[in-house]
């Protein structure tokens, strides 16, 4: 009887100890959760206060008493172009404009560089550039230009680079005299659409690109040209005066270093006297 009593008392003591330990563990865990919750509430309150302070600061900054007038954006006529395009100091970028750009945009005064590539411009008029005489580079690659009015570039006395590649031109206008690079690749140009003196007076022209057109003959090339691309046209013949001078057997055309005539019907080997003044033979078909 005594043994049973001792065992009963031991069991009661053990159960009490287990319950006590479990309660302590629960209280400790509950305390940790309370502390973590309190910290989260404090953090949220601090963030809300900071946001409120920032909002108040913005409201104060926007108030009429503390605000100063914004700097002028420019003339009202400049705004539409600079909303459609990207206008940086001296440069205007109008590339793949949405909604479609079908004409040359009005440019801010003193624009130096215009990039109006991959739009749907169909025509360049004599009024498009107006008094923007500061232009040095124009790029109309990838438009639908089929017509350029006479005098469209007449006032652009500082223009050095003009790109009209990937359009639908059948003839060229008169070009500014200071051009150093002209690119009309991938158009529909024929020889009758290029006047004999179109390039004659361009004494600073270095690079001339007329590839992928419908030219039947090589146009008159200025002396300073170094790179001439005429590949993939319909050129069938060249003369002794095309590149050299038939009346001057000592003449050397030393500046030109690349002539491409590949992709034309002409067999260059049939015209050996046409290349005697050149430092290297044109690239093309010889047999």
């Amino acid at each position: 009887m005594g043994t049973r009593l001792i065992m009963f008392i031991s069991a009661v003591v053990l159960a009490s100890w287990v319950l006590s330990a479990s309660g302590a563990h629960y209280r400790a865990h509950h305390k940790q959760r309370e502390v973590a919750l309190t910290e989260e509430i404090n953090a949220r309150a601090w963030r809300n206060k900071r946001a409120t302070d920032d909002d108040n600061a913005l409201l104060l900054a926007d108030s009429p008493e503390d605000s100063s007038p914004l700097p002028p954006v420019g003339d009202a006529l400049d705004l539409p172009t600079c909303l459609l395009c990207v206008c940086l100091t001296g440069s205007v970028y109008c590339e793949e404009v949405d909604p479609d750009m079908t004409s040359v945009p009005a440019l801010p005064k003193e624009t130096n560089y215009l990039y109006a590539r991959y739009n749907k411009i169909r025509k360049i008029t004599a009024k498009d550039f107006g008094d923007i005489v500061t232009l040095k580079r124009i790029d109309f690659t990838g438009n639908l230009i089929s017509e350029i009015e006479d005098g469209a570039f007449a006032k652009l006395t500082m223009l050095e680079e003009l790109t009209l590649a990937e359009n639908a031109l059948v003839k060229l206008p008169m070009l500014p005299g200071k051009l150093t690079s002209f690119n009309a690749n991938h158009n529909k140009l024929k020889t009758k659409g290029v006047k004999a003196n179109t390039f004659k007076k361009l004494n600073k022209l270095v690079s001339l690109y007329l590839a992928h057109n419908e030219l039947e003959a090589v146009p008159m090339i200025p002396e300073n040209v170094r790179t001439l691309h005429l590949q993939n046209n319909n050129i069938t013949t060249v003369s002794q005066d095309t590149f050299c001078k038939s009346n001057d057997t000592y003449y050397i055309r030393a500046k030109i270093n690349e002539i491409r005539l590949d992709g034309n019907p002409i067999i260059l080997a049939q015209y050996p006297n046409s290349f005697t003044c050149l430092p290297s033979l044109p690239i093309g078909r010889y047999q």
Side-chain angles (χ1 to χ4, degrees), residues 2-287:
T3 301
R4 291 182 178 179
L5 179 60
I6 292 171
M7 292 176 64
F8 176 75
I9 293 172
S10 299
V12 171
V13 172
L14 179 62
S16 299
W17 181 81
V18 170
L19 290 174
S20 176
S22 300
H25 177 74
Y26 172 78
R27 286 192 296 275
H29 179 68
H30 186 66
K31 182 65 175 176
Q32 290 177 350
R33 290 187 61 186
E34 287 181 346
V35 171
L37 183 60
T38 301
E39 291 177 350
E40 176 65 19
I41 291 173
N42 291 336
R44 290 186 179 182
W46 180 82
R47 288 195 296 268
N48 290 338
K49 182 178 182 303
R50 184 176 179 180
T52 302
D53 292 341
D54 290 343
D55 289 342
N56 290 336
L58 289 173
L59 288 173
L60 290 173
D62 291 339
S63 61
E65 294 181 357
D66 298 331
S67 62
S68 57
L70 295 174
V73 177
D75 295 337
L77 293 176
D78 296 344
L79 291 178
T81 296
C82 291
L83 288 176
L84 289 172
C85 309
V86 177
C87 294
L88 302 175
T89 304
S91 300
V92 178
Y93 298 85
C94 302
E95 303 190 351
E96 298 182 281
V97 174
D98 185 21
D100 293 340
M101 178 176 285
T102 57
S103 60
V104 178
L107 299 176
K109 292 183 178 179
E110 299 183 358
T111 298
N112 298 128
Y113 306 102
L114 170 62
Y115 302 91
R117 297 179 286 209
Y118 303 105
N119 291 293
K120 294 185 178 179
I121 299 172
R122 297 179 180 275
K123 183 178 180 180
I124 300 176
T125 72
K127 297 180 180 180
D128 283 335
F129 297 110
D131 297 324
I132 312 298
V133 297
T134 53
L135 278 165
K136 295 181 180 180
R137 180 185 301 159
I138 297 174
D139 192 340
F140 283 119
T141 298
N143 280 274
L144 304 173
I145 300 170
S146 59
E147 182 182 355
I148 301 177
E149 290 184 357
D150 290 335
F153 305 121
K155 296 181 179 180
L156 304 182
T157 56
M158 297 178 65
L159 192 66
E160 297 176 354
E161 299 180 28
L162 176 59
T163 299
L164 300 169
E166 300 176 38
N167 280 281
L169 290 171
V170 294
K171 65 177 182 178
L172 294 179
M174 294 302 294
L175 300 172
K178 289 188 178 181
L179 279 185
T180 61
S181 177
F182 178 69
N183 188 336
N185 286 344
H186 292 277
N187 276 275
K188 300 179 180 180
L189 294 173
K190 294 186 177 182
T191 298
K192 64 181 181 181
V194 182
K195 296 179 180 178
N197 60 346
T198 298
F199 305 113
K200 182 178 180 180
K201 295 182 179 180
L202 304 185
N203 296 324
K204 295 186 177 182
L205 191 65
V206 174
S207 302
L208 179 56
Y209 304 101
L210 298 171
H212 299 274
N213 279 282
E214 301 174 16
L215 297 172
E216 299 92 358
V218 178
M220 186 175 293
I221 308 302
E223 287 286 332
N224 285 334
V225 170
R226 297 180 183 178
T227 302
L228 175 63
H229 286 190
L230 291 165
Q231 66 268 30
N232 298 302
N233 278 278
N234 293 325
I235 298 171
T236 57
T237 184
V238 292
S239 71
Q240 292 186 33
D241 292 314
T242 299
F243 301 109
C244 304
K245 297 179 180 180
S246 58
N247 60 352
D248 186 355
T249 57
Y250 296 99
Y251 170 71
I252 300 296
R253 191 167 193 151
K255 290 185 178 180
I256 196 162
N257 54 32
E258 180 178 297
I259 300 175
R260 288 194 59 178
L261 286 168
D262 47 308
N264 284 277
I266 186 173
I267 300 176
L268 298 176
Q270 296 177 357
Y271 307 92
N273 295 329
S274 298
F275 314 123
T276 55
C277 68
L278 301 177
S280 60
L281 290 175
I283 299 170
R285 186 162 65 104
Y286 285 88
Q287 59 182 4

